Amino acid sequence: MAGDLGSYPTLVVDLNKFRHNGEQIVKRCAAAGIKVTGVVKGHNALPSALRLYGEAGCYGLGSSRLEHLAEARRQNLAGPLMMIRIPMLSQLPELVGLADISLNSEPAIIRAINEEAKRQDKTHGVVLMADLGDLREGFWDRDELVKTAIWVERELDQVELKGIGTNLGCYGSIKATPEKMLELIEIAQAVEAAIDRPLDIVSGGGTMSLPLVLQGIMPAGINHLRVGEAIAPARDLSHIWGLDTPFLHQDVFTLQAEIVEIKDKPSYPVGDIFVDGFGKRGNKAAYVDRGIRKRAILAIGKIDFADDHQLDPRLPGVEVIGSSSDHLIVDIEDVKSGLCVGDMMEFDLHYTTVVYLTSSPYVRTVFI
Ligand SMILES: *Cc1c(COP(=O)(O)O)cnc(C)c1O
């Protein structure tokens, strides 16, 4: 049903820019001896975009949702499919059927994967996760990780130890540094010494770890990254890290929304400030009195994009003021061109807005 009643809101996806970004990231990682799994959860595995990762040279696709890997399977795409959230015990038949590799931290789950793989007459690869301080998934105890690796290697017939990995910058906001990568490499070396063979995968993280590659300070020994954001929408490297990334297009995604009201109004609410549309207590300081201003209302809201702070208007002079479930309010006092009701307005997008927009049944997606 996605947005089939009318033309807007629309998410426009530029497939050439998308592929270009993939190629640029893959090329730079390859020069550092690193292969890249393309992570597709950030756009809910947009069907028309999935083949681009392979065309760009990615080492298969990854996602935190099996539904996304199912779409990749339907398309018969080349390369291993990687489940990047610890699989659920209740979902192992589907996991083994759809994914080639999964990230893991629980021996009980790995044991059950082995049983399920036996039933399906398949081999499933596992990457054991080490928690290096971000406090999301992974073994905290290094010895326990190494022991589990040896157990997988020696005892489990249908599960193959593909490697180890880590994740940073997700829960604990911990930065990827050469020191953190060296910790992971040390664990990899301990595992390799114990099993007497090199690991296929030493996975140093996602987009958060890419600056080390781009700055040429990624320690040798990391040979894999799982990259989503830096391929599309590709804004964090410049916006968060302040890196110069002229080789990446930051406008792979464009949001188009339609103006349904334009009026001159006070900028400070008139009456007793009480609660907003979400039942949240009104905060007087959140409203700034700038006198009478020209404002437009667009037919799109928090239900579609979640966070209006992550919408960057393309038209100079437009400023996002706020939003409710179904309305986005922008200040257009300083816009030079004459805007009219019915006009379409464009926005650049960050990661979170793309996640929500691609899951909203009210937003249509168009590929160019
Ligand atoms: C989401 C995720 C990634 C990709 O993160 P980006 O910041 O989009 O590159 C990689 N690994 C894991 C485990 C993830 O959950």
Side-chain angles (χ1 to χ4, degrees), residues 258-265 295-299 330 332 340-342:
E258 184 174 327
I259 299 176
V260 293
E261 178 186 298
I262 296 179
K263 292 194 189 305
D264 292 329
K265 290 192 190 181
R295 317 177 328 153
I297 293 180
L298 297 152
V330 296
I332 57 170
C340 302
V341 164

Side-chain angles (χ1 to χ4, degrees), residues 39 41 84 103 136-137 167 206-207 226-229 351:
V39 173
K41 69 182 189 211
I84 64 172
L103 308 186
R136 205 177 71 178
E137 75 274 44
N167 199 63
T207 295
R226 315 170 302 267
V227 180
E229 200 284 334
Y351 187 86

Side-chain angles (χ1 to χ4, degrees), residues 37-42 62-64 82-86 103 129 136-137 166-170 203 205-210 225-233 236 351:
T37 290
V39 173
V40 301
K41 69 182 189 211
S63 186
S64 50
M82 187 182 273
M83 174 64 170
I84 64 172
R85 182 172 69 186
I86 309 300
L103 308 186
M129 296 298 277
R136 205 177 71 178
E137 75 274 44
T166 196
N167 199 63
L168 295 163
C170 276
S203 187
T207 295
M208 177 59 124
S209 301
L210 260 182
L225 292 176
R226 315 170 302 267
V227 180
E229 200 284 334
I231 294 174
D236 286 0
Y351 187 86

Side-chain angles (χ1 to χ4, degrees), residues 4 56 106 136 170 185 187 217 220 225 254 266 277 310 333 347 352:
D4 47 7
E106 288 290 354
R136 205 177 71 178
C170 276
I185 292 165
I187 301 171
I217 52 171
L225 292 176
T254 304
Q310 298 211 4
E333 181 73 26
F347 297 84
T352 319

